[in-house]
Amino acid sequence: QVQLVESGGGLVQPGGSLRLSCTASGRIFKINNMGWYRQAPGKERELVASIKSGGRTNYGDAVKGRFTISSDNSKNTVYLQLHTLKPEDTAVYYCNAETVVVDTAIRILEVWGQGTLVTVSL
């Protein structure tokens, strides 16, 4: 019904930058909010950043001032700009979206992407 496709992960040196992208497709009537979460080995999944359809953003404490989330509503796409990367930012980054879909009824559907690996290392 709704799919999220992420891109942009990879290997980067400490202090470097990356940009992640996530595009939603499918039977989408509206997207309420999109965001990024991450999960490092042996740790729980945590919020990185989220953005509502009206533009309000929210950031996890660990990334405030270093990461920036933005979106292009016309493309159903959310971006995450990562700056001043640290080894502790190494994780699988997952895109998340709360969508409104219309088929036999109007439903709110939460969707996850498959994840993209970000590795920060020399």
Side-chain angles (χ1 to χ4, degrees):
Q1 293 211 11
V2 178
Q3 299 82 36
L4 300 179
V5 177
E6 302 137 330
S7 63
L11 173 64
V12 63
Q13 292 186 352
S17 299
L18 277 178
R19 190 176 85 151
L20 307 182
S21 300
C22 172
T23 298
S25 62
R27 300 173 64 93
I28 300 169
F29 175 72
K30 180 178 180 289
I31 297 179
N32 289 333
N33 57 266
M34 296 185 77
W36 292 92
Y37 289 73
R38 68 185 183 185
Q39 187 165 20
K43 295 188 176 182
E44 294 185 355
R45 191 171 295 190
E46 64 175 357
L47 171 71
V48 177
S50 64
I51 184 166
K52 293 188 179 295
S53 59
R56 179 177 293 182
T57 59
N58 184 39
Y59 293 91
D61 289 340
V63 306
K64 284 179 180 178
R66 299 188 298 121
F67 294 5
T68 301
I69 191 169
S70 61
S71 64
D72 184 337
N73 293 337
S74 68
K75 298 179 179 179
N76 288 341
T77 298
V78 64
Y79 306 97
L80 184 69
Q81 186 70 50
L82 298 74
H83 291 296
T84 320
L85 282 159
K86 306 174 182 180
E88 51 264 44
D89 294 317
T90 296
V92 177
Y93 285 69
Y94 296 92
C95 182
N96 172 271
E98 181 183 283
T99 64
V100 180
V101 298
V102 179
D103 39 46
T104 58
I106 299 174
R107 296 185 293 123
I108 293 177
L109 186 65
E110 184 179 24
V111 189
W112 290 90
Q114 79 285 357
T116 185
L117 177 63
V118 173
T119 303
V120 184
S121 179
L122 291 172

